[in-house]
Amino acid sequence: MSTRTAAPTRREQILSEAARLFAERGFHGVGVDEIGAAVGISGPGLYRHFAGKDAMLAELLVGISGRLLDGGKLRVRGAGTAGDPAAVLASLIDGHIDFALDDRPLITLHDRELDRLRESDRKLVRQLQRQYVELWVGVVRELYPDVPESQARGAVHAVFGLLNSTPHLGSYGSGLPGRAATESLLRRLAHGAFASLGETDGTDGAGETDGAGGAGETDERADGAAHA
């Protein structure tokens, strides 16, 4: 399930160009006029769609976190009808790979600019990301019921880190293989990481605490935007 729509609206076009420019040059390095020029409208015309750059940034980061969570829930419901957690996990991996390949500027934006959001928006992003992480953790534990929750959560974060490394891989044709090859590679690596959970005897880290404190701190930048 891609995070993109087939026919983007003007508002979505503005957000896409804003994400690209913010990722390339930083939030403060881009002016409203430049974003407007990228979509063929005047800078002041942007204010018919957004109150300003801060509103664009908030919608980008809150929006992608929400879309990843909603898409993940749809995949769990869709693939879950067969009662096969392996199929559900495979579907979640495919969905996140689509995000990691198609929305790389949002990953960069999340890593660099999350702290620029007002506190209420940051809290919302983190809440959505935690829910996205726990969605994956539940599926992983169904597939590997003997694995402690802390290890399952650690594996989910590790896979998010792997998949969300795409902004650092360069562009296609200049170090990064084509999209199909990159997708296949990421899929194999993600499945291999989770498969390693089946090789554990379940004792490593078994004494760790799995309470809210264990999840909260590490989930703050889960990628959802990811990392979600």
Side-chain angles (χ1 to χ4, degrees):
M1 180 180 300
S2 174
T3 53
R4 297 178 181 272
T5 59
T9 65
R10 174 64 82 181
R11 187 181 182 88
E12 289 168 339
Q13 290 173 346
I14 293 170
L15 287 173
S16 178
E17 289 303 314
R20 179 182 64 82
L21 291 169
F22 290 159
E24 288 178 358
R25 289 156 45 195
F27 180 74
H28 287 305
V30 179
V32 171
D33 288 342
E34 294 171 275
I35 299 171
V39 293
I41 62 177
S42 66
L46 284 175
Y47 292 106
R48 292 197 297 269
H49 301 275
F50 297 96
K53 288 199 307 177
D54 288 340
M56 294 180 206
L57 182 63
E59 185 155 337
L60 283 166
L61 295 182
V62 174
I64 190 56
S65 297
R67 291 198 300 277
L68 281 171
L69 177 59
D70 290 343
K73 288 178 177 179
L74 285 173
R75 286 177 175 273
V76 168
R77 287 198 295 268
T81 56
D84 181 3
V88 179
L89 183 59
S91 184
L92 285 174
I93 289 172
D94 286 348
H96 200 95
I97 288 175
D98 281 344
F99 158 69
L101 292 178
D102 296 338
D103 292 291
R104 288 191 284 171
L106 288 177
I107 298 174
T108 299
L109 198 59
H110 176 275
D111 290 344
R112 292 180 181 171
E113 311 290 357
L114 179 64
D115 289 342
R116 298 193 187 280
L117 295 183
R118 60 184 180 181
E119 183 60 25
S120 59
D121 288 328
R122 284 200 303 273
K123 287 182 177 179
L124 180 55
V125 168
R126 290 165 178 166
Q127 178 185 38
L128 293 168
Q129 289 175 347
R130 282 194 292 270
Q131 292 178 50
Y132 185 57
V133 169
E134 295 311 308
L135 184 73
W136 281 64
V137 170
V139 174
V140 170
R141 295 203 75 200
E142 281 189 60
L143 186 58
Y144 301 105
D146 294 331
V147 172
E149 184 175 344
S150 59
Q151 288 188 31
R153 186 174 293 109
V156 169
H157 280 293
V159 169
F160 284 173
L162 168 69
L163 298 182
N164 291 345
S165 67
T166 51
H168 306 291
L169 300 180
S171 59
Y172 297 123
S174 62
L176 184 67
R179 191 192 189 286
T182 304
E183 179 181 350
S184 178
L185 173 63
L186 292 175
R187 184 179 294 111
R188 292 197 307 272
L189 291 172
H191 280 282
F194 285 123
S196 69
L197 289 173
E199 300 169 4
T200 180
D201 60 8
T203 59
D204 294 341
E208 297 174 6
T209 300
D210 287 325
E217 291 300 319
T218 55
D219 287 353
E220 287 188 355
R221 292 184 179 272
D223 192 287
H227 249 299

